[in-house]
Each structure stands twice: as C-alpha cells, then as structure tokens.
Amino acid sequence: MSDPDHRSEARLYLAGFGLALTLTLVPFGLVHWGLMQGKALAITIAVLAVAQIVVHLRFFLHIDLSRQKREDLQLILFTVLLLGIMAFGTLWIMGNLATRM
Amino acid sequence: MSGSNLHPGLNLGARHGSAHEGAETVVFGFWIFLMSDLVIFGLVFASYLTVANPLGMAGGPGPADAFDLRSIFVQTMILLTSSLTFGFATLALRHEKGRTVIAGWLGVTLLLGLAFLTLELRDFAHMIEVGAVPQRSGFWSAFWGLVPLHGLHVALGCLWIAVMLAQMALLGLVPVVKTRLLRLGLFWHFLDLIWVAIFSIVYLGGLMP
Amino acid sequence: MTDPIFGRLDLSSLSVWRAFQDPSLSELIGAGAAMAVILGALATLALLTWIRLWGPLWRDWLTSVDHKRIGIMYCALALIMLARGVIEGVLMRTQQAFGLHGGFLTPDHFSELFSTHGTIMIFFVAMPFIAGVINYVMPLQIGARDMAFPVMNQISLGLTATGAALVMISLVLGEFSTGGWANYPPYTGADFQPGPGPDYWIWSIVLAGIGTTLSGINFAVTIYKERAPGMHFLRMPIFCWTVICTSIIMIFALPPLTVAALMLAADRYLDFHFFTNDLGGNMMNYVNLFWLFGHPEVYLLVIPAYGVFSEVISTYSGKRIYGYMSMVYATMSIAVLSFCVWLHHFFTMGQSANINAAFGIASMAIAVPTGVKIYNWLATIFRGRVRMTVPMIYATGFFYLFVIGGLTGVMLANPVISYQVHNTLFLVAHFHNVIIPGVLFGLLAGYHYWFPKAFGFRLHEGWGRAAALLWIVGFSFTFLPLYWLGLQGMPRRSASFGDPSFQPMLWLALFGGMLILAALGSLMLQLWVSIRNRVQLAVPLGDPWNGRSLEWSIPSPPPAYNFALLPQVLDRDDFAEAKASGRAYAEPAVYEDIEMPDNTAIGMIVCVCSTLMGLALVFWIWWLAVLSLGVMVVSLIGRTFRTDLSHVIPAAQIAAEHRAWLARVRAAPAVDRLAETHDRNRGRAMPERPFAAGAAE
Amino acid sequence: MSVRQISRILPGALALALTGCTGSGDSFLQPGGPIAAAQRTELFQIFGWTMIAILPVFVLVPLLLWRYRYRNAKARYTPDWDRSAILEVLMWGVPLVIVVVLSAQLYRTTHALDPVQPLASENPPLRVQVVGLDWKWLFLYPDLGIATVNELAFPVETSVALDLTTDTVMQSFLISALAGQIYAMPGMRTRLHILADAPGSFEGENTQFNGTGFPAQRFAARAMSAADFDAWVAQVRADGQPLTEASYALLAESSTGAQAQARLGAEGMAPGVLHFSTVEGDLFHSILHRYMHGNPVPPSAQPGAVGYAPETAEQTR
Ligand code: HEA
Ligand code: HEA
Ligand code: CUA
Ligand SMILES: [Cu+2]
C-alpha cells in the first residue's frame, strides 16, 4: 500500500466502516437494553437507518453531490421519488382500509 | 479521489483506459437494474408492514417468539465487514495491486458471505421449529417473502464472486472482467443497504420493547 | 399424488381429449382452437423445412442481435398473437350479441376468452409491438449502431416469446385462468382455482415481465449513452423522449407486477397467506400492487404512440413539431403522474373519501398534459402543408375517438361516477376507446410510416386508406354502444344478460366487430398486394416522406451497422436542416472499421429453457423445472467466459457500400410531395418548395 | 355567461338523448333515490365542463386539415414556426383551469356522497346485512330476525344501512338506480347506504366476476311503503324456512338462486328468491369472523372453493 491515493481511499473506507458500525451499535443497544420505548425508539431507529444508508452510499458506493454528471444522480433521486410514492401510497391505502373494515 | 469520474459511484479511474470508458455504459445500466430491484424490495417491505399487526399474525407467533437479536447482530457485523473487505478488493483493482491481492479480498468477502448465510439459515431453522412458518399467517408469509429474498441475493452474490474468481484466473484482468468486478461491487454494497433496512424494520422494529 | 415424472399432466389436460369426452359446442371451439395451434405450428415447421428456410431463419433472424431484426421479430410475434386476440374479441362480441339468457358459449369458456384476450392484447400484442417499433426506430433516430446491450435485447425478446408461447400452449394443454387479465385473488387462489389456469397466467406474465424490465433498461441506457455526437437531449426527436418515458415505466412499474404475481405463486404453490381469505391474508394488497403496475402499464402503451403521432404529424405537415419543450414536459409529467393514480381502479374498495378524492384529482390532472399534446399537434398542422396519407387518416381518427375515450376517462376518474360504472361495459368502452384509437392507431400509423424504412418499399396506399376508414367506422360501431350499455348497468365479463333492451346495442356492436374484421382483412390484403408490387413501390434511397430525423438519412433497408459514419448532429430535425442547407448526402472524408457483436444462440436457449420451465411449473414437473433453470443459468454464465464475441466490418467494405448508395441518390430525381404516393417516389425527396406565401399574400 | 350556459344546457340535452331511448328503469340515469340522482348530475356536469376543452378539438381538426391541405396554395406555410407564448399559456391554462374546477367539485361530491354516511330521512334507519355468496346475495335483517336471498325489500324514504361481506371470493354490490357499488370481501365489512324516494323495483347485481353463475347473480331491490314493508316481513315470516347452520352450509354452496331453491326445497318462491323466517345466531358476524380467528379455513369449509363440503363445513365453523 504505497501509493498515496490508495491509502487515502482506504482511510475513507475505514471511516465509513467506523460510522456504519456506530450507527449499527446504537440502535441494537437501544433495543437490547430497552433504553428507549415506543414512538421515540421507532423514530430513532428510522433516523439511524437512514443515516447509515447515506453513509453506505457516500463511503462505499461513492455517491456524492459533487462532480457527477447530473443525469446519473437524477436516476437515484427519481427512483427514491417513485418508490416513495408507491410505498407511502401502499401504506396509506392499506392502513386506511384496515381501520375501516 | 483521482479526478475523472464518468458515472456516479465506483469508478476504475482514468488509468484503466478503455475499461474505464467501457464501464460508463455497463455500470449505468447496472445502476438502473439495481434501482428496479430496489423497487421490488421496497414493495415487499411495504407489504410486510401492512401485515405486521395482530390481524396479519392471525393468532400465530409474533416477532418476539421467533427472532434472535444476538444472531441478527452477528449477521449484521459480518455483512458490514464484508462490505469493507469488498471495498478493499475494489481499491486493489483500481490501484492495480495485482490479481492475487484482489482475489484475496474477494475470497475473504466470499467467506463472510457464506458465514452470513449459514447463520441466517440457522435462524430460519429455529423459526420453523417455533412454528413461525409462512403457512402460519400473512405476517410470516411476508417475512418469508422478504428476508429470504435478501438471502437469495446474497447467495447469488456469492456465486458471482466465485465466478469472478474463476474468470480472473482464466481470463486475467481483461476489461470485461474489471467492469464486472465493478458491478459486483455495486451489487454487494447494495445488498448491505437492503440489510440495513431489514435489521432496522424487521428485526429491531419487531423486537422493540 | 402427482406423478414424479409427469407431475399433474395427464390425458385430461389435453383439450382435444376433453372435447372428445364432452362434444359440446363450447368444448369443440376450444378443441378447434387447440387443433389450429397444433396444425399451425406443424404447418409452419413443414413449410420451413420444405422451402429450406431453417438455415437462413436461424442464421439471420433467431440468432441475430441486430436491433432492427429483433424489432421486426417483436412485431411478427405481436401479429401472431394478434390473430388470436382478435378472434377472441370477435367471439366475445358474438356471444354477447346472442347472449340473452344464454348464448352458445359456456360461461367458463367465455371467462377464459376475456382472460386470455386481455392478457394477450396487453402483454403479447401491444407491448411487443411497441417494443418492436422502439427497437427498430429509436437507435436509428439517435444515430446509434445498435442497442447498448444487444445480447440482452435478444434475451428480452426470448422471454417475451416465452410468455406468448405459454399462453398459446394453454390452449392445448390444460386451460388458462378465468380471472381476467388482472387475475384477482382469492378467485385465482388455490382454493377456488386449483387447476393450472392461474399458474399459466403467473408464469407467462412473470417471465415476459422480466424481459420487459430488461428492455426498459436497454432502451434507457441506449438513449442516455449511445446518442450520436451532437445529439443533445433537446435535439432528440419527440419519439425518443416518449421512449425515455416508456422505459421509465418499464423499469419501475414492472416490479410491482412481478411482486404481486410471485406472491400469488407463493400462495398457490407453497401455501403462503399473502392474499388468502384466512390466516391474515390480505387480497386488497394484491389489488393495490397489481394496479401499481396496471395503471402505468397503460401509459407505457400509449406514450410511444403519442411519439409516433408527433413524428407523423410533423412530417406530413412539412413542419417542425410545434412546442417541442411543451411536448417534452407534457410527456414527462404524464409518465410521473402515471405513478400517482393507481387507486382509481378500485375507488369502490371502501377506503376513505379523502383517499378517493386525492387519487381522483391526480387522475384528472393527467388530462392537462394530454390536452397540451393534442393542442400541440393541432398547432403543428396549423400553417403546414398537410398530405392526407394513411398515417394522417389514422391521426384524424385518433383526434376524434381518443378524445372521447379521454373524456370518459375523466368521468371515471371521479369516484362518484366510478361507483356507478366501474366494472361495467362503460369501463370496457373507455379502455378500448383509448387503446384502439390511441395505441393501435398510433402503431398502425407508425407501421405505414416506417415500413418503407424497414423493408425498402412502401405499402399500397389505396388498401391502406380503405383499412383506415374501416377501422375508424368499425371501432365506433363496436365500442361506442358499450358506453350506453354500461350506463344501463350491464356488468363487464357477462357471458349472458337478462334485459332484452340491451339487445339492439349489442347487435350494433357485433356489426362493428364485423367491420373491424374487414379492416383487419384489408390490412392483410394490403400487405399481400404491397409485397407483390414491391418493385414499383420500392424506395431504396431511404427518404420517401421527406423525413426530418436521422433514420431517413440512410438507405432502406439500412445496413447492419446503420450509419457508415456516425452522424454529427447540429440541430433538432437534423436531417431536414441538412437537406435545406445542402449538407445532406455528403461523402465522409474517411471511413472507419466498425466492430459489431456476433450472432448468438443464447436468446433461443433462454427462450426454450424458460418455456420448458414455465410449463414444468404449471404442471408440477419439478425435475424439469430445475433442469431447465440449470441449463439456462449454466449457459448464461458459460457465455461470460468467452471474450471473442464480436467481428469487424472493414472500412473498405463500408466505403464501397456507402459510395454506391450515394451515387444512386445523386443520380435519382428528387420527387415533390405530390408524387409521394406514386411509383416515381424512389426515396429521394425534393425539399419543400421554397415558400410561396409571398405570392399568396 | 356562455360557459355557464353551455354547462347547463348540454347536460339537459344529453339527459334527454340518453333517457329517451332507455328501455329498462334500472340505471342511475333514471334515478330512484337521491344518491343516484346526484351521480347523474355529476356525470352531466363533468361532460359540460370538459366540452370546453374538447369541442375546440372537434371543430379545429377538420378546419385545419382542410385549410392547410397540400394543394391549397393560398394558405400560409411557416415550416419553422414552432412556438407562441400566447398559445402556450392557453394550451396549458385552459385545461388546467377546467381540471381545477372539476377537482373542487370532485372533492365536494366525493365527501358528500361517501357511501358510509347515513342518508337524511325522517324515518328511523333500517339495518340490513349483506352476504355475497357464489352467485346469489343473502340479506339478513338483524333487527327483524328474518333473511332473504335475492330479494332486498325496504321501506321508501328510509335510510337503509347495508353492511357487506362475502363468504367466498370478492364481489361488488350494485343497485344502479339507487346508489353506487361497493366491494364485498371475505373477513371484511364494507358499508353502503341507500334510500329510495318512491316505491319501485330496481335491479341489483354483482359486477365483480366470480365464476360460472356470475351473470345470474342478480336480485330485486324493492322499495315499498311502510305498510307494504310490514306486510312483506310478515309474509317472509310465514312462508320462509328457518336459516340454521345446516341450511346456511347448503345455501353457501356455489349455486344460483334457482339452484339454491331446489337444494333447500323452496321451489314455490319467486324465481331465485328464498325466504327465511328466523336466523340462527349472529350469522353475519360468525361469517365475518371465521376468517379472522386465526384458524385455517380449509377448502372443505370454504364456500365457493372446489372442495367445499357442506356436510362438514358446519362443524368446522
Ligand atoms: C391492447 C389491448 C386490446 C385490444 C387491441 C382489444 C381489441 C378488441 N377487444 Fe378487448 N380487451 C382488452 C384489451 C384489448 N382489446 C382488455 C385488457 C380486456 C379486459 C379483459 C378482462 O376482462 O380482464 C378486454 C376485454 C374485451 C371484451 C370483454 C368485455 C367484457 O368484459 O364484457 C370484449 C368483448 O367483446 C373485447 C372485444 C374486443 C374487440 C372486438 C377487439 C377488436 O377491436 C380487435 C381488433 C383489434 C385488432 C384487429 C388489432 C389491430 C391490428 C394491429 C395493430 C396490427 C396491424 C398491423 C399489421 C397488419 C402489420 N375486449
Ligand atoms: C392506453 C390506455 C389508456 C389510456 C391512455 C387511458 C387514459 C385515461 N384513463 Fe383509463 N383505463 C385503461 C387504459 C387507458 N386509460 C384501461 C385498460 C382501464 C381498465 C383496466 C381494467 O379494469 O381492466 C382503464 C380504466 C380507467 C379507470 C378505472 C375505472 C374503473 O375501473 O372504475 C379510470 C379512472 O379514473 C381511468 C381514467 C383515465 C384517465 C383520466 C385517462 C387520461 O389519461 C385521459 C386523458 C385524455 C383526455 C382527457 C383527452 C384529451 C384532452 C383534451 C382534449 C384536453 C382537455 C381535457 C380536459 C381538461 C378534461 N381509466
Ligand atoms: Cu377488503 Cu378490507
Ligand atoms: Cu388507470
């Protein structure tokens, strides 16, 4: 591992790994030791999961907001938008039906 | 990182010449495929959430009866580490560290993947024992539709790693092999992403106090 | 209980055998159809052997990875399936016309008819047709040599053919689902339909659906990455924009279908409880997932048709498309909105008024961009010089009839109305009213427009006009009466009815069905006549319509590599500009070698293996399913170990071919638009007479 | 003014055209109650409003095609003209405004006509429970203790609250002349309210395909005066048979009304109709809950299923 690019990139991977590790340990700890409850816990888990997904995207998949051709980034955002519509819609509709029948 | 990225995410780097340029099309195509796959997962997740309630469980076992947080934790650690080791394989590829180094990291990743699958299968066996089978309720159907789907992806990823090891040995690091390794990397990291959602929603969500 | 070798396949699976045991008219029709399939297949095989076409067929077509040939094969597949779809449609019209308290078909046979008709028409006629046209035209329009992934393209075709084959086989072995094209459980669950019917539906849809998803990826990557130099996004023909939108739908809307169908499969095969009545199953989620796919699907069909109309209207009006940017925005908004409205197919499932209102409003919103497109086409005609060729007749029919269908769509989008006419013939009229004048007229216009490009000769104009008029009139008679019947509360999918007052309208609809048959007959005749007169109708120089986009700048039919040298695009409507500025038909200074992918049998291997696998799954022949999957996977992986999969066409050969063609172009007289449909038209267009308006004003 | 007038005149004309040639009185175009009437009005209003955007197309297509035909040398030809700000605003603006207007109306009427809402009426409401069976409808009158098949009778000017479910596959319940349709699904309860203004008989049906007998799954919805209704109830009590678990198990088997009559020995009744004088237990809820109890419902106990066996179904309930 002589070349400097290589080393700095490896450090980035390690940094990502460290962040991901933290973002995993915290929610597991919270649930295992019952440190939080109910809605607050659910929201914390969700936020940490989203944070971890961002970490993976940034450090492992090397997605970032700069330097990229816009058309490619659009693909990912567009997918998130459509998936959001579909998943949110499904939960909304099915949730509503469940309360009414 | 070294300048000219052609597409988002993993790049080979300009020094790889035609392989680097060739990657533009195939990697973009693979991204689109992953996004399509993501929609599949997203909808299975949504379906799972619609039955994660007493009505969906139909009087059968619930998450607390069948999940083992400790095992899930270990699986999570394994998968996370495998992402790192795959990352090192990619770095070795980018910086031309030679076939053996790349193959070494890939081998470690493969072993981690297999370890993950072993533990997961053990968990499944336990679930079957306590009656948390898909035939029991809508909830367990959704669970068995979701988590093993991820497991299947991991298994395919392992198969793919094995194929790439063989291709590296037989064909050498020709451009197609390089771009395939790049795509395999995307796939592997993508699986880890899905797993984050699974352990957060299915396991932690299911075992929340 | 099931045989280890034959699964649940036995003698009574043969529909011919069933008819032998119970020779009722209904069974006989079924057996007749089965015999027709078998005999048709045998006759084709025999014919191919007799005229020794196996070699060329295999070498030039089945193993080809050329997007143009794949496109043509898609269209051929669509045509074969169309024959069955049309016969079923007309049979259903006949049954209903005689359906007062009965009719000649049993209800079960009728239900198989509408299920296969819907499935075939959507998945194996409209979709392959569209995939075919896109395959043929899009790479030519953006100045590419082929698709981004030519081999995957072949595999997509193979998988589509698999789906079609399974539906055809269901005529001979077992029976098809009776659950409609949406195949709702629990009716299609194992409890209620334990037979192979719904399994045929599942596997044909899933396998073809994978093919479609791959096609979508292929189209999108091709447009994103393979455009000719200078072909910016905003210089692409509108048709290519519609292809982007359609591929978005293929990529993101097929997953819900795959998910829904595979969950249904899990219920049926493994006793899961996704959609069952008991143990926490939730059939409403099937409905939800299916329409998450189903709604975008119908826009998948119509958006490329909009693209065809854009090309056709602009060309035959001799004018740039009006409002290019508006068109782009409108198309994009239709594509995105199509993902926001799926609930309008089940307003009546019992959710709250708020949800219904939200989705109702979103559905109506689609009328805005659609309207913009219609007005833009009108503005394109405005101050143009319009030639009423066959495609323009279809466009005219489209303007009138599609708008009626859109209007009834807006009515259905209102939950208050949907409560009344959902599941009635009003709905049936609506969707045929958008699909036939929209999708099919669009495809037919495109067929007449691009046929000379693909085959080097024009289609006979007179028969084309007759067919177009018959279509328009026949459609109106067949489907407009159904609106009235639907408002009267006649449910869809009824084999019979009890209200004599429905009779006159049903007779009218049958009459229309006959006209449609005549229209179809005229189309066939036209093809026959055109092939016979192909010498007079030949347009080898490539530009019979004074076209505006790149596909017209090359010979007809184009060489395998499409462009001798990738064009340098300077403008929107580049070829029209090139002709106007005199830079068209220029000879390149240097020619270069072109590397093209080799032919491969992998698509056929996938097709055969997946068909066997589907059949094995339908009949629970597990060993065969595993075996065929294994062979498929091993061949796919095995192929990746080969690296020598392309060949090079030498520059000298390209130069010779191209120079010869250029010489013919230069020697040929350019014809003006009045001679467009005459034999003089050899495909060299005279630029539109420099504008004489000064004189007129 | 013209817009308003058009939207007022056209619907009327259309209504005339449509109702003029109507044979049967079983459609919301000849409404028998307030909901269907409101739905008809809604239909005509949408028609009127959309005509603003659509008529121009109908008029312009022939005009443009004629004026700009190839041989017309007098017409202007501007091959490169491809945008105009004014046109652009009109093309997006007009449909947008229409859609906004229609959306406001849609929001209002969707809420106003929400089928779960009871309908205003002076008389006390009537409760009816509806069970979709394969190829016939079972109506339970929980407050009267009677039940019928394929005959839904109720007093006029009374809000009838229907609770719907099925004991087989999904179905859709529609009485067009009174109100819209709503799905009925096993293990679930959906709701619908109907009200008839005047006595009459309206056709009701299932619109969701459910197999061989689907076209026969029709019934009469009979609105009658309060006195007639009481007489009808008395008659059902008199000529009906008791609806026991055993007879329900037979009834639930896939059969049309006529076939069910034969099965239960009730051939004397009106075509397809059965009367039950008493109902054993809370049948509706036991049907509803059998799918939610967490016990499997095997095909032998599942009406409509291929292996349904009425003899054993009774016990597994
Ligand atoms: C693409 C879709 C499509 C098309 C084209 C058609 C075409 C026709 N359909 Fe279609 N139909 C459906 C999709 C389609 N249908 C669907 C989805 C259903 C619902 C199924 C369900 O209930 O689940 C349905 C149901 C349906 C019913 C059942 C109604 C009911 O439920 O009661 C009936 C009854 O008559 C019917 C009739 C017809 C007829 C007579 C035609 C005729 O118009 C057929 C004529 C069409 C052609 C002849 C094709 C045109 C030709 C070309 C494009 C090729 C030409 C090119 C060359 C020669 C190169 N259809
Ligand atoms: C190509 C196919 C296609 C197309 C283009 C459309 C277009 C539309 N459809 Fe259709 N639809 C189907 C195919 C299609 N549909 C099918 C197959 C089904 C039934 C499936 C089944 O159940 O089997 C269906 C069913 C269906 C339903 C469900 C009904 C029910 O089950 O109860 C609804 C409800 O909202 C609907 C609405 C619409 C709308 C609002 C449009 C709009 O896109 C229409 C837009 C067009 C216009 C409005 C005309 C032009 C516009 C102007 C001239 C400008 C101005 C207009 C206004 C301002 C109003 N459709
Ligand atoms: Cu169906 Cu709740
Ligand atoms: Cu729709």
Side-chain angles (χ1 to χ4, degrees), chain C residues 77-150:
Chain C
L77 175 70
L79 271 180
I80 296 171
M81 299 309 287
L82 176 82
R84 176 163 169 203
V86 170
I87 293 172
E88 288 174 332
V90 174
L91 254 176
M92 283 190 287
R93 289 267 46 86
T94 318
Q95 159 70 17
Q96 283 189 340
F98 296 99
L100 188 60
H101 306 302
F104 59 97
L105 293 176
T106 62
D108 291 314
H109 194 159
F110 186 80
S111 51
E112 220 177 304
L113 280 180
F114 64 68
S115 306
T116 43
H117 167 81
T119 308
I120 287 179
M121 283 298 200
I122 299 272
F123 291 102
F124 303 115
V125 175
M127 300 253 284
F129 230 118
I130 280 170
V133 173
I134 292 177
N135 247 304
Y136 199 96
V137 174
M138 182 267 285
L140 295 181
Q141 283 198 331
I142 60 170
R145 295 224 187 281
D146 205 328
M147 287 287 173
F149 307 115

Side-chain angles (χ1 to χ4, degrees), chain C residues 108 191 277-278 318 322-323 326 348 354 375 383 385-386 400 407 414 419-420 422 487 489 499 688 691 697, chain D residues 24 27 39 42 50 53 58 68 70 76-79 82 88 92 111 176 181 183 186 205 208 212 297 306:
Chain C
D108 291 314
D191 283 2
N277 285 354
D278 56 347
Y322 171 87
S326 268
T348 54
N354 270 329
Y375 300 142
R383 292 187 183 159
R385 310 195 67 194
V386 182
Y400 272 92
L407 161 69
N414 190 315
Y419 274 119
Q420 276 291 350
H422 172 61
L487 289 172
D499 187 339
E688 202 58 276
F691 181 45
E697 262 169 355
Chain D
S24 63
S27 155
Q39 287 169 322
E42 182 88 1
T50 47
F58 286 177
Y68 297 104
Y70 194 79
R76 260 183 84 182
Y77 176 47
T78 56
D82 67 355
E88 214 74 346
W92 285 91
H111 278 272
S176 181
Q181 63 196 294
Y183 287 172
E205 62 197 0
Q208 177 71 40
T212 314
V297 181
V306 168

